[in-house]
Amino acid sequence: IVQDGDELGTILFAGDDGTDLISKGAQITASVDGTPGSNDMPGRLVFYTTADGANSPTERLRIDSSGRLLLGTTTEGHTNADDLTIATSGNTGITIRSGTSNGGNIFFSDATSGTGEYAGMISYDHNDNIMTFATTDGSERVRIDSSGRLLLGTTTEGYSGADELTVASSGDGGIT
């Protein structure tokens, strides 16, 4: 009977390095990820690669029994944002690469159709070099233009002599 942490199976990728035929380049391992029970086998997949100059694989990516994706770590993030956790011991980040006249986007959704699919949004437009933040059905609320100007409630900068921050409103508006 298997228990938490036991290995269920491994796919090993090895090659001839000139010394032997068993130098590991990568592997995928399936393990028990929790307490098994009758017709209950929680599992995780772990992906390993071997760095240049190393002689054994290191864990790089894990999909746990909750469906969380852990990249560079075995520990999930905060419970309100633990579906994807990325960690390193140095600078860490995500790159979204799109065409030179296209946009990169992060959408916040609470639906599978209609405006709920993009209720909130962070968008970068490579064509105009602007970053926008949108809320409520994707309506733009904040823009940072290619000159670094911050525009609130408008897409047009204000008076040219003092336009680093422009605030506009169709009703009462202001800064408090």
Side-chain angles (χ1 to χ4, degrees), residues 1-4 6-8 32 35-38 40-41:
I1 299 174
V2 294
Q3 51 192 315
D4 188 24
D6 285 353
E7 188 175 297
L8 298 171
V32 179
T35 305
S38 179
D40 174 25
M41 185 60 59

Side-chain angles (χ1 to χ4, degrees), residues 127-144:
N127 196 46
D128 293 326
N129 292 316
I130 60 171
M131 178 169 281
T132 58
F133 298 83
T135 62
T136 315
D137 74 11
S139 298
E140 182 179 320
R141 305 296 185 198
V142 176
R143 173 182 291 217
I144 303 171

Side-chain angles (χ1 to χ4, degrees), residues 92-160:
T92 303
I94 299 171
T95 298
I96 299 173
R97 183 173 288 121
S98 55
T100 56
S101 61
N102 299 97
N105 302 292
I106 300 173
F107 282 48
F108 301 89
S109 172
D110 62 0
T112 57
S113 64
T115 58
E117 285 189 293
Y118 54 92
M121 176 175 47
I122 301 171
S123 179
Y124 187 83
D125 179 336
H126 290 282
N127 196 46
D128 293 326
N129 292 316
I130 60 171
M131 178 169 281
T132 58
F133 298 83
T135 62
T136 315
D137 74 11
S139 298
E140 182 179 320
R141 305 296 185 198
V142 176
R143 173 182 291 217
I144 303 171
D145 70 12
S146 61
S147 297
R149 295 176 291 224
L150 181 63
L151 312 173
L152 303 172
T154 184
T155 60
T156 307
E157 68 277 358
Y159 175 72
S160 64

